[in-house]
Amino acid sequence: ALQSAMDDPNDPDIGKTAISAVITFIVYFGYEGAMLAHDGQTLGKKAARIRVAVLADGDIPRGKGWSRAAVYALPGIAQPILLGTLFWLLNSLWQLWDKPFRQCLHDKVAKTVVVEAR
């Protein structure tokens, strides 16, 4: 898809772009969902010493990790039409005005919160 876009930027191959978006979603969704369901942390979260916790009790998200990953990644498939990018931006910025837990939209859907890891 990238080579096609570089060869002719005015006529990108929509099929290849769509397939690459779906593959990227599947890989990201699998990684994020599995890591959060296991211990609430991805490799980046481990390095930053934070983790995802269930809002109600602070437990590891388990199944909620999968729904959190889906809400974060799924709109990325719509990225070629800009809708996914706009959602991702709004989703990421949501924490700046959310009170009291500073949750992003994917946290709100999954009923999770990011906390300091011990």
Side-chain angles (χ1 to χ4, degrees), residues 25-48:
F25 164 72
I26 290 168
V27 170
Y28 175 79
F29 173 72
Y31 166 74
E32 181 87 1
M35 295 292 284
L36 294 182
H38 177 259
D39 66 359
Q41 292 180 293
T42 60
L43 295 175
K45 286 176 181 55
K46 287 178 186 197

Side-chain angles (χ1 to χ4, degrees), residues 73-86:
L74 186 59
I77 292 175
Q79 200 163 16
I81 58 172
L82 193 64
L83 187 62
T85 303
L86 292 174

Side-chain angles (χ1 to χ4, degrees), residues 14 25 97:
I14 299 300
F25 164 72
W97 55 80

Side-chain angles (χ1 to χ4, degrees), residues 100-115:
F101 301 112
R102 296 179 54 188
Q103 294 169 291
C104 292
L105 295 175
H106 57 275
D107 284 310
K108 290 201 168 289
V109 169
K111 297 182 173 99
T112 59
V113 65
V114 176
V115 297

Side-chain angles (χ1 to χ4, degrees), residues 43-55:
L43 295 175
K45 286 176 181 55
K46 287 178 186 197
R49 294 189 171 116
I50 57 176
R51 71 178 182 88
V52 176
V54 176
L55 184 60

